[in-house]
Amino acid sequence: VLGKAVHSLSRIGDELYLEPLEDGLSLRTVNSSRSAYACFLFAPLFFQQYQAAPPGQEALRCKILMKSFLSVFRSLAMVEKTVERCCISLNGRSSRLVVQLHCKYGVRKTHNLAFQDCESLQAVFDPASCSHVLRAPARVLGEAVQPFPPALAEVTLGIGSGHRVILRSYLEEEADSAVKAMVTEMSIGEEDFQQLQAQEGVAITFCLKEFRGLLSFAESANLSLSIHFDAPGRPAIFAVKDSLLDGHFVLATMSESDLHSPELHRLAPPLQAPSTPHLDDFASDDMDSYMIAMETTGDGEGSRAVPSMSLSPGHQPPSSPGPYSEDNETEPSTEPGTPPPKKVGAGHGDSGGRRGRSGLQNSLCFLCSLSVPLAVLWLHPGPRTLPSRPQPCAG
Amino acid sequence: MEVVVQAQCPGPSLSLPAAGVSNMVAKLAKACTLRISPEKLNFIVSDKVANGGVSMWCELEQENFFSEFQMEGVSAENNEIYLELTAENLSRALKTAQNARALKVKLTNKHFPCLTISIELLSVSSSSRIVTHDIPVKVIPRKLWKDLQEPAVPDADVSIYLPVLKTMKSIVEKMKNISNHLIIEANLSGELNLKIETELVCVTTHFKDLGNPPTARDAAARDRDPAQMAEVHLDIRRLLQFLAGQQVGPTKAVCNIVSNKMVHFDLLHEDVSLQYFIPAFS
């Protein structure tokens, strides 16, 4: 299951943020254009043994290249057949994430993956605040996206007449294209949904490729997938949940434009500041381009002031002049603003006699100082949406 | 000019052969022409330079497939419609129709002319699911119709029944690695050979006891030595394209060879007739 989750996260971003929390182990990632965020939280009960941090010390956060972590779980079939136990530990001193796979016949594979200290990656989102919800077994949604071409980037999800849920391929308008592309539309009756709370006529458009990442995980784990969304332009939250784990994918949606008919929406990912035009220069820097918030104290909760996301082109970015790099600090911003980060999906395993196959031990002993202000990454549905040009979705 | 075509049929009966044809066409050429007339549907790929001179003509009788068929062509005298579309779109659309309860095909105009395929899927739950595909098409003007007529069946030097196409395909696939130039030859004694020759090596595969269709046998047999081979030099890739597109074995498969000019394949799949012309290597 852990491997499948990693595969699913790898569809979104190139770096994996690992953070052992009291609630469980969280694996998070964002895509390069910051228009998609994904997080899996594995409750402690998922593991045979779980220790977030040695007593008296803080949990170590780290980020590693998705590719390296994925390579441990690359062949899911093999993992399923041969691995009996998996131990993951963070060794702060040598900056190595050690993944040990204890396999059949006494074979033990040890992977030492280099990691970097990083800020905590958290998104601010609250599924409960979204006005519309859809929930269906993953299988239904899997069948729903099946007619669409695998290469299709974006899809529009909406409620049509008769309370039917409609998925329609979204195509960028190209005025001069001689070859028009095929448009596919899938309509599903509301009886197929476990929960449908939305009015007719609402619709959002989001990146299908990224959604497929979560969908394939949900299908393999046979879970229900719920979609929480609001007005177009506000991010949509896709969630799966069971007693031992929690998964959330937050994807940007297109905002409405005045020019086009309701079925065509112009995209402007509203989520993050980096999408402001003048910060696009920094988009070429790696993941930690501009996104700062502030200093955190030890745990992720006690946040102080945070900048609101600047979202219109004319608006000056609230703080740091340049891209934030995790190795060096920048001045923390002092703009008042948004409330402290919402804890991402607190799923607790209550019952669940299921014994996870991975055990987690965390040995921390790191010597580097923590004076580096650990920034909190905000993916915050901003007050204003960008009228800027569409952002490509990272597949 | 208004053109309306509407057909409704239970899914699998149309989708399989039509999907098979469109799959095959998709492998062959990017664009193909669909000709709709009151009795028939034709898929046409004409012999342009882009296709390497290969042409294809495929015919289905509409009444074998559709429970309801209604069309209105360009005009009363020319009651036909010629549409150009991307074969891959059609094959993908028809792929979703494999488990369909009903399928409807309609010519519509949504910002641009489209062939709208509306598929009602079988669903576990009580509510039905509907998938709609809008395939952009281009209506071909009447003045171009003459280029898209049924090609004349040539007077073949030899006509022979083909061996199992799958076998032929795997052989040709291996041969492709050796050379691009394939010689296909056959005679009226039921023998067919596939040959490739290079400086280093010469590979020939012999098929025997294939049988020759009666008409050819009567007409040409009088003046032709039954053992004499008629041969054509082909680009192996064209032959492979043809063979690769044949997913299902045909009911009947005939190969007509016009010496040094071209090969003509005449296949019959259930109710779908398919003709394929590969010119000789120039």
Side-chain angles (χ1 to χ4, degrees):
Chain A
V1 175
L2 190 62
K4 288 185 191 144
V6 178
H7 272 269
S8 152
L9 288 173
S10 69
R11 302 286 291 263
I12 302 262
D14 296 324
E15 287 181 342
L16 183 66
Y17 290 72
L18 263 159
E19 185 173 347
L21 301 164
E22 287 308 315
D23 290 351
L25 176 66
S26 102
L27 298 175
R28 302 181 185 135
T29 186
V30 276
N31 73 353
S32 49
S33 60
R34 311 294 197 170
S35 58
Y37 161 90
C39 163
F40 279 96
L41 182 71
F42 293 92
L45 276 175
F46 179 80
F47 306 100
Q48 283 173 327
Q49 194 182 354
Y50 179 76
Q51 188 188 2
Q57 285 196 23
E58 300 175 14
L60 186 61
R61 290 175 258 255
C62 74
K63 78 169 182 178
I64 53 176
L65 274 182
M66 184 71 75
K67 247 186 356 185
S68 3
F69 200 69
L70 188 62
S71 66
V72 179
F73 301 97
R74 187 182 307 285
S75 163
L76 287 174
M78 186 223 60
V79 167
E80 204 150 339
K81 268 198 309 201
T82 60
V83 176
E84 288 165 359
R85 263 178 63 206
C86 168
C87 298
I88 304 179
S89 57
L90 276 172
N91 188 333
R93 196 170 9 186
S94 60
S95 284
R96 286 268 184 279
L97 175 74
V98 182
V99 182
Q100 267 195 342
L101 301 171
H102 298 254
C103 309
K104 280 207 286 211
Y105 313 123
V107 174
R108 192 156 55 153
K109 301 184 193 174
T110 307
H111 298 259
N112 286 310
L113 309 168
F115 68 80
Q116 293 172 301
D117 287 331
C118 67
E119 69 283 8
S120 166
L121 176 67
Q122 278 193 354
V124 177
F125 60 91
D126 180 11
S129 72
C130 290
S131 37
H132 312 296
V133 181
L134 283 176
R135 195 156 53 95
R139 181 189 48 83
V140 170
L141 293 169
E143 287 165 2
V145 300
Q146 199 261 336
F148 294 90
L152 181 65
E154 279 125 18
V155 76
T156 304
L157 167 72
I159 315 291
S161 55
H163 256 102
R164 294 184 70 86
V165 177
I166 301 191
L167 276 167
R168 196 181 156 86
S169 51
Y170 174 83
L171 300 162
E172 288 282 326
E173 281 262 307
E174 277 165 74
D176 294 338
S177 69
V179 181
K180 305 266 191 297
M182 180 164 117
V183 170
T184 302
E185 182 179 297
M186 170 74 158
S187 151
I188 313 178
E190 62 175 321
E191 300 81 45
D192 285 335
F193 287 83
Q194 294 160 327
Q195 186 187 4
L196 179 57
Q197 189 183 308
Q199 297 85 30
E200 292 184 11
V202 299
I204 48 165
T205 303
F206 55 85
C207 185
L208 180 62
K209 286 193 193 163
E210 292 164 352
F211 172 64
R212 284 191 203 261
L214 182 62
L215 183 60
S216 56
F217 176 80
E219 279 181 298
S220 67
N222 215 3
L223 296 171
S224 285
L225 206 149
S226 43
I227 306 179
H228 304 257
F229 60 99
D230 238 331
R234 312 255 312 162
I237 304 168
F238 301 82
V240 293
K241 188 185 168 77
D242 80 2
S243 51
L244 294 179
L245 63 81
D246 232 297
H248 286 87
F249 272 44
V250 184
L251 303 179
T253 64
M254 295 195 178
S255 65
E256 281 192 36
S257 128
D258 311 327
L259 309 168
H260 299 276
S261 64
E263 58 197 13
L264 298 175
H265 298 248
R266 259 315 77 184
L267 207 174
L271 292 185
Q272 306 87 16
S275 51
T276 54
H278 55 270
L279 289 172
D280 278 341
D281 310 331
F282 303 136
S284 59
D285 286 342
D286 71 15
M287 298 279 287
D288 310 284
S289 54
Y290 174 66
M291 218 29 183
I292 301 109
M294 35 145 292
E295 256 183 43
T296 53
T297 52
D299 55 346
E301 295 274 326
S303 335
R304 286 184 273 135
V306 242
S308 60
M309 300 323 287
S310 83
L311 299 172
S312 64
H315 188 101
Q316 285 306 311
S319 64
S320 57
Y324 173 71
S325 88
E326 58 204 4
D327 300 325
N328 320 316
E329 36 52 56
T330 56
E331 297 79 34
S333 135
T334 51
E335 270 191 21
T338 43
K342 197 80 177 188
K343 229 16 190 317
V344 170
H348 294 281
D350 259 355
S351 54
R354 176 159 40 133
R355 310 226 310 175
R357 290 195 308 156
S358 35
L360 184 80
Q361 296 148 346
N362 203 327
S363 63
L364 305 177
C365 227
F366 69 154
L367 304 178
C368 54
S369 71
L370 263 182
S371 61
V372 172
L374 298 171
V376 170
L377 199 69
W378 290 102
L379 295 179
H380 167 56
R384 275 172 288 180
T385 58
L386 284 179
S388 61
R389 55 163 174 67
Q391 282 263 356
C393 276
Chain B
M1 172 177 84
E2 245 209 26
V3 289
V4 170
V5 173
Q6 188 169 309
Q8 193 167 356
C9 73
S13 72
L14 173 71
S15 62
L16 277 176
V21 174
S22 53
N23 269 340
M24 186 175 45
V25 178
K27 291 198 166 93
L28 173 61
K30 201 154 170 258
C32 87
T33 304
L34 176 62
R35 169 175 169 243
I36 307 173
S37 59
E39 290 95 41
K40 305 188 274 216
L41 280 183
N42 293 91
F43 289 88
I44 308 166
V45 177
S46 59
D47 54 351
K48 300 201 185 64
V49 180
N51 301 332
V54 172
S55 62
M56 186 203 78
W57 175 271
C58 172
E59 187 162 299
L60 322 128
E61 308 256 327
Q62 61 86 1
E63 60 187 13
N64 292 333
F65 299 98
F66 297 107
S67 59
E68 198 185 298
F69 187 89
Q70 199 180 309
M71 70 148 286
E72 191 186 294
V74 172
S75 64
E77 311 89 53
N78 299 294
N79 196 16
E80 295 174 331
I81 306 170
Y82 285 72
L83 299 171
E84 189 182 308
L85 48 78
T86 306
E88 199 199 319
N89 284 342
L90 185 62
S91 78
R92 197 180 311 126
L94 291 173
K95 205 166 96 157
T96 61
Q98 276 168 354
N99 292 322
R101 200 182 279 158
L103 183 137
K104 210 189 278 196
V105 181
K106 219 165 149 172
L107 189 57
T108 57
N109 195 334
K110 307 183 173 180
H111 304 289
F112 44 82
C114 279
L115 198 63
T116 298
I117 303 190
S118 179
I119 303 166
E120 194 184 319
L121 292 175
L122 300 169
S123 166
V124 180
S125 69
S126 56
S127 75
S128 62
R129 288 195 206 156
I130 304 178
V131 184
T132 313
H133 294 275
D134 292 320
I135 303 175
V137 298
K138 210 165 76 173
V139 181
I140 299 182
R142 208 168 353 137
K143 55 182 191 274
L144 296 175
W145 289 7
K146 59 177 168 39
D147 297 330
L148 296 164
Q149 296 309 308
E150 180 165 1
V153 177
D155 282 330
D157 293 316
V158 170
S159 267
I160 188 170
Y161 288 119
L162 285 169
V164 176
L165 290 181
K166 271 210 173 70
T167 315
M168 252 183 101
K169 177 181 144 201
S170 50
I171 291 172
V172 175
E173 247 169 17
K174 305 293 186 310
M175 285 180 163
K176 183 170 95 106
N177 298 329
I178 303 179
S179 162
N180 260 352
H181 191 128
L182 174 89
I183 304 171
I184 183 169
E185 59 179 22
N187 65 17
L188 289 167
S189 308
E191 291 175 346
L192 177 93
N193 298 337
L194 298 171
K195 279 206 294 215
I196 43 171
E197 294 167 346
T198 66
E199 285 173 352
L200 295 175
V201 71
C202 207
V203 182
T204 310
T205 305
H206 303 265
F207 295 93
K208 291 191 163 55
D209 296 327
L210 293 172
N212 302 84
T215 49
R217 220 183 300 134
D218 296 337
R222 297 172 220 140
D223 7 314
R224 200 187 162 87
D225 171 15
Q228 188 194 6
M229 293 280 186
E231 67 170 31
V232 177
H233 295 239
L234 296 179
D235 185 343
I236 204 173
R237 290 166 296 184
R238 306 286 165 226
L239 181 61
L240 198 54
Q241 261 176 337
F242 163 67
L243 292 169
Q246 303 304 309
Q247 313 282 22
V248 186
T251 322
K252 184 185 114 174
V254 174
C255 171
N256 296 315
I257 299 184
V258 180
S259 247
N260 297 319
K261 286 240 170 51
M262 72 142 117
V263 180
H264 167 231
F265 293 102
D266 188 352
L267 305 178
L268 188 62
H269 277 103
E270 312 262 324
D271 289 321
V272 180
S273 110
L274 176 68
Q275 292 183 63
Y276 206 91
F277 300 82
I278 307 182
F281 232 160
S282 50

